[in-house]
Amino acid sequence: MFEELSTPAFVVDRAIVRRNCERMRARLNPPTRLRPHVKTHKTLEGARLQLGAETGPITVSTLAEAEFFADGGFRDITWAVPIAPSKIGRAATLATRIDRLNLLVDHVDSVDALDAFASSSSTGFDVFLKVDCGTHRAGVDPESAASIALVERIVASPHLRFRGLLTHAGHSYDVDSVEAIREIAAEEAACLTRFAGKLQVAGIGVETRSIGSTPTCSVVERLPGVEEARPGNYVFFDAVQTGLGSCTLEDCAASVIVSVIGHYPERAAIVTDGGALALSKDGGARHPGREPEYGVVCDLAGTPIPGLHLRGLSQEHGQIAVDAGVEIERFAIGARLRVIPNHSCLTAALFDRYTVVEGAEVVGEWKPARGW
Amino acid sequence: MFEELSTPAFVVDRAIVRRNCERMRARLNPPTRLRPHVKTHKTLEGARLQLGAETGPITVSTLAEAEFFADGGFRDITWAVPIAPSKIGRAATLATRIDRLNLLVDHVDSVDALDAFASSSSTGFDVFLKVDCGTHRAGVDPESAASIALVERIVASPHLRFRGLLTHAGHSYDVDSVEAIREIAAEEAACLTRFAGKLQVAGIGVETRSIGSTPTCSVVERLPGVEEARPGNYVFFDAVQTGLGSCTLEDCAASVIVSVIGHYPERAAIVTDGGALALSKDGGARHPGREPEYGVVCDLAGTPIPGLHLRGLSQEHGQIAVDAGVEIERFAIGARLRVIPNHSCLTAALFDRYTVVEGAEVVGEWKPARGW
């Protein structure tokens, strides 16, 4: 079957996706609810497998995704990226046609813009405060008095409904041991609990503490005792996650099927038709002193082939260095390989359709949301 | 106008594209013809500006591009990536509906596969031999006797028409001076001329020597005296090309308009909605000892803003570090910036439509080919 696909092809093994999703749900512990992030796959089918149900609460990364999932019957959506003021009108329109659209803010200007829009249009918004638990990408400092003042500003608005605190331990991708990820996971939840305590002193109740990253949610037996978790990448996993210890290679559900188009035994190299536009130029985890590799090169069954190193990606060429001692003749012109990408979210986003398989059988095709 | 676009938005300045295209054509010197590569923009409109005509010979990177341009009235197409045997049938179908589809080979197995297909279907193929002029990505070694034997094999087939030699000096991206690029440019052409000389001794004429990379074609006053040149990236240029000396920032025609969605003066950082899915994770040229930056951050007029460093890209966040002394208040929530990407080919490929402007005026929209 893999021999018939037009290459490069993005392939999703649904049986592995299902197992990854079941395992994540098995980590749920009251009071924690799962609000899975759908940004990795951006498909209705993937979200349903995450939830184990036809619909349910989800997390998205773009407004276009939110609209796509609303069209697909999802009625409780958190857009977990701080909103740009220019998108408030579109968000308001979407909010009227589903049960709940939670928006994210971490700055008084965004709060003011939402309040002003709602005030002039007799509408209202559900709002989460983004909290920085140590990643230092977005979010307010939970130790700062200004952060409490910002929540007071939200609560004081008659147009805004304060729904809780949301954080993402993105720095769990930067450490080099499962033990370090566990420490970050504990702090991800504890940081929200401490901040909620301060808000309680200020007379403000926190309905939902929302945490979530695939590393922190994957290395724990049970999700920490917060109200909500939002992991997403675990649906597919990828080579970076295996490096972190979030999963094994057998848990990687997404891969790219490529064809050998160049065969150069004299310089121990082969070239495939899976280049940067089929895999993305994500260099993966940093390995000081080692050249980056752009994925794990496997046979069609998904077993890694020792001695093959995907060292170069140009637009439509994948350059594989072959170690001495490897029988390069196995990888003749037309031979096919399966590459587990470094970063499945960015790789999936390069394809307009996914070939869905279970083992070696094609069982369907998924079409993802695209754009913003 | 830039204030009205939904961000992130991919913007092409058509006036700059036109100027870049005119300059490249002005470097033409008989007998050299331009067969521009369209892989950077993948649009009918861009190809016409490259040619300065409604149609003409072009170079593509995928079979889907070739089909798209054939549908758009282009009838002389070189697919400049070695063909995978599984795509021969589709290529044969396309070849029947245009005047010329040149295919690329560099291995006897591909030659045999084309010959076998043509023989069994009473068709024929136009074929270029890919030659390695020092990039060591794809192509035969022009110093090897086996390479002459391979051309003899092509010429001996009654089904294959040997059309010439094709090379690409991709290693011109890896050097650090214009002088070094000029040396590579000279060798790019000389290498084909030497190999053509050897073929002539063997009784084989070479109709076309085809060279081309944007660095090697941009740093010369006149293109070297070969029959064909295939530069492509020069249509848009990008931050990498400015680093190489192929162009200046004023020549960069493609940019991404982003909105500030996070503002953190306490840690001298802002965040925009232009993440890895809007810019690509191409780290650009290597700068040993310096952190990579993912593009040049400009104001909406396209002037670089000193002290802003796009150091981090996650899926939907662009993280900009702000130097001390820069008035960070200028970059409030909702402010817009214009980012010149590191690698315009990979960035353009992330968008399904381009907003086309001349200066600050929107003049159209281009829809590119996608997929394989």
Side-chain angles (χ1 to χ4, degrees):
Chain A
M1 176 278 303
F2 292 119
E3 298 293 347
E4 275 88 62
L5 297 176
S6 178
T7 57
F10 188 78
V11 168
V12 172
D13 191 312
R14 192 174 64 184
I16 301 177
V17 169
R18 187 178 288 117
R19 189 180 67 200
N20 291 342
C21 292
E22 285 168 356
R23 282 183 185 163
M24 189 58 82
R25 288 201 303 279
R27 290 197 187 92
L28 282 175
N29 213 16
T32 309
R33 300 179 303 269
L34 200 62
R35 180 187 285 276
H37 212 312
V38 301
K39 77 183 180 86
T40 299
H41 55 87
K42 304 195 187 206
T43 62
L44 303 176
E45 298 86 345
R48 289 174 186 141
L49 288 169
Q50 284 178 291
L51 291 160
E54 270 304 290
T55 185
I58 58 169
T59 309
V60 301
S61 65
T62 70
L63 193 48
E65 263 171 70
E67 291 162 341
F68 173 88
F69 280 90
D71 291 343
F74 290 78
R75 305 190 57 82
D76 181 0
I77 301 175
T78 295
W79 178 18
V81 174
I83 187 167
S86 60
K87 297 223 168 115
I88 292 175
R90 235 174 95 196
T93 302
L94 175 60
T96 61
R97 60 185 184 98
I98 59 176
D99 298 333
R100 175 76 76 85
L101 178 66
N102 295 310
L103 301 176
L104 202 62
V105 296
D106 69 359
H107 196 282
V108 66
D109 288 357
S110 306
V111 173
D112 287 350
L114 286 170
D115 184 59
F117 184 97
S119 163
S120 69
S121 61
S122 305
T123 180
F125 291 108
D126 296 287
V127 170
F128 270 79
L129 182 76
K130 170 88 182 198
V131 175
D132 178 7
C133 65
T135 300
H136 306 323
R137 182 177 69 181
V140 302
D141 176 359
E143 306 302 327
S144 159
S147 305
I148 295 172
L150 184 58
V151 178
E152 288 172 333
R153 172 81 188 79
I154 297 169
V155 171
S157 163
H159 311 291
L160 304 182
R161 296 176 287 273
F162 175 59
R163 294 303 187 179
L165 306 173
L166 183 149
T167 196
H168 166 69
H171 53 310
S172 60
Y173 284 83
D174 299 327
V175 295
D176 55 6
S177 74
V178 166
E179 198 42 55
I181 296 174
R182 287 203 178 110
E183 279 173 31
I184 291 172
E187 175 56 17
E188 188 181 24
C191 143
L192 293 192
T193 299
R194 284 198 307 274
F195 189 54
K198 290 184 185 183
L199 290 173
Q200 195 162 28
V201 170
I204 300 169
V206 173
E207 187 178 301
T208 299
R209 291 164 294 167
S210 177
I211 58 107
S213 82
T214 281
T216 58
C217 290
S218 297
V219 301
V220 294
E221 277 291 308
R222 292 277 168 178
L223 292 170
V226 292
E227 289 75 25
E228 185 175 282
R230 311 177 324 281
N233 175 281
Y234 71 95
V235 170
F236 288 164
F237 283 124
D238 52 33
V240 165
Q241 298 286 352
T242 67
L244 291 166
S246 307
C247 67
T248 66
L249 269 179
E250 291 69 36
D251 301 324
C252 292
S255 56
V256 179
I257 308 295
V258 301
S259 295
V260 174
I261 57 169
H263 184 82
Y264 314 97
E266 65 282 9
R267 48 189 176 81
I270 57 175
V271 165
T272 78
D273 60 2
L277 287 195
L279 282 161
S280 104
K281 284 271 276 203
D282 196 302
R286 279 159 287 180
H287 302 289
R290 264 182 49 199
E291 281 186 78
E293 297 190 15
Y294 292 102
V296 179
V297 182
C298 301
D299 62 22
L300 290 181
T303 305
I305 304 174
L308 265 55
H309 307 282
L310 183 52
R311 290 254 166 78
L313 288 183
S314 46
Q315 188 162 341
E316 299 295 348
H317 299 76
Q319 295 176 257
I320 296 177
V322 181
D323 283 351
V326 174
E327 203 188 346
I328 195 169
E329 288 65 33
R330 288 169 57 199
F331 314 110
I333 298 286
R336 292 184 166 212
L337 296 166
R338 191 169 180 172
V339 181
I340 297 173
N342 280 345
H343 189 165
S344 60
C345 312
L346 302 191
T347 303
L350 298 169
F351 290 83
D352 285 335
R353 63 190 63 197
Y354 311 158
T355 299
V356 183
V357 304
E358 295 204 348
E361 186 191 358
V362 175
V363 296
E365 184 176 270
W366 294 352
K367 292 194 180 159
R370 287 290 168 258
W372 296 272
Chain B
M1 176 279 299
F2 292 120
E3 298 292 349
E4 276 88 62
L5 297 175
S6 179
T7 58
F10 187 78
V11 168
V12 172
D13 192 312
R14 193 174 62 184
I16 301 176
V17 169
R18 187 179 287 115
R19 190 179 68 200
N20 291 341
C21 293
E22 285 167 355
R23 282 183 185 164
M24 189 57 82
R25 288 202 302 280
R27 290 197 187 92
L28 281 175
N29 212 16
T32 309
R33 299 179 304 269
L34 201 63
R35 181 186 285 277
H37 212 312
V38 301
K39 77 183 180 87
T40 299
H41 55 85
K42 305 196 186 203
T43 62
L44 303 176
E45 297 87 346
R48 290 174 186 140
L49 288 169
Q50 284 178 291
L51 292 160
E54 269 305 288
T55 184
I58 58 169
T59 309
V60 301
S61 65
T62 70
L63 193 49
E65 264 172 68
E67 291 162 341
F68 173 89
F69 281 90
D71 291 343
F74 289 79
R75 305 189 58 83
D76 181 1
I77 301 175
T78 295
W79 178 18
V81 174
I83 187 167
S86 60
K87 297 223 168 114
I88 292 175
R90 236 174 95 195
T93 303
L94 174 60
T96 62
R97 60 185 185 99
I98 58 176
D99 299 334
R100 176 76 77 86
L101 177 66
N102 295 312
L103 301 177
L104 202 63
V105 296
D106 69 359
H107 196 282
V108 66
D109 288 356
S110 306
V111 173
D112 287 349
L114 285 171
D115 184 60
F117 184 97
S119 163
S120 69
S121 61
S122 306
T123 181
F125 291 108
D126 296 288
V127 169
F128 270 79
L129 182 76
K130 169 88 181 197
V131 175
D132 178 9
C133 65
T135 300
H136 306 323
R137 182 178 69 182
V140 302
D141 177 358
E143 306 302 329
S144 159
S147 304
I148 296 172
L150 184 57
V151 178
E152 288 172 334
R153 172 82 189 79
I154 297 169
V155 171
S157 163
H159 311 291
L160 305 181
R161 296 175 288 272
F162 176 58
R163 294 303 187 180
L165 306 174
L166 182 150
T167 196
H168 165 70
H171 53 309
S172 60
Y173 284 83
D174 299 327
V175 296
D176 56 6
S177 74
V178 166
E179 200 41 57
I181 296 174
R182 287 204 179 108
E183 279 174 32
I184 290 172
E187 175 57 17
E188 188 181 23
C191 143
L192 293 192
T193 300
R194 283 198 309 273
F195 189 53
K198 290 185 186 183
L199 290 173
Q200 197 163 27
V201 170
I204 300 169
V206 173
E207 186 178 301
T208 299
R209 292 164 293 167
S210 177
I211 57 106
S213 81
T214 280
T216 58
C217 290
S218 297
V219 301
V220 294
E221 277 291 308
R222 292 276 171 182
L223 292 171
V226 293
E227 288 74 26
E228 185 175 281
R230 310 178 324 280
N233 174 282
Y234 71 95
V235 171
F236 288 163
F237 283 124
D238 53 33
V240 165
Q241 298 286 351
T242 67
L244 291 166
S246 306
C247 68
T248 67
L249 269 179
E250 290 70 37
D251 301 324
C252 292
S255 56
V256 179
I257 308 295
V258 301
S259 295
V260 175
I261 58 169
H263 184 82
Y264 314 98
E266 66 282 9
R267 48 189 176 82
I270 57 175
V271 165
T272 79
D273 59 3
L277 287 195
L279 283 161
S280 102
K281 285 271 283 209
D282 196 299
R286 280 159 285 179
H287 303 289
R290 265 181 50 199
E291 281 186 77
E293 297 190 13
Y294 292 101
V296 179
V297 183
C298 301
D299 61 23
L300 290 181
T303 306
I305 304 174
L308 265 56
H309 307 282
L310 183 52
R311 290 254 166 78
L313 289 183
S314 47
Q315 186 162 343
E316 299 293 348
H317 299 75
Q319 295 176 256
I320 296 177
V322 181
D323 283 351
V326 174
E327 203 188 345
I328 195 168
E329 288 65 33
R330 289 169 57 200
F331 314 110
I333 298 285
R336 291 183 169 213
L337 297 165
R338 192 168 179 173
V339 180
I340 297 173
N342 280 345
H343 189 166
S344 60
C345 314
L346 302 192
T347 303
L350 297 169
F351 291 83
D352 286 335
R353 62 189 65 198
Y354 311 158
T355 299
V356 183
V357 304
E358 295 204 350
E361 188 192 355
V362 175
V363 295
E365 183 176 272
W366 293 353
K367 291 194 181 159
R370 286 290 169 259
W372 296 270

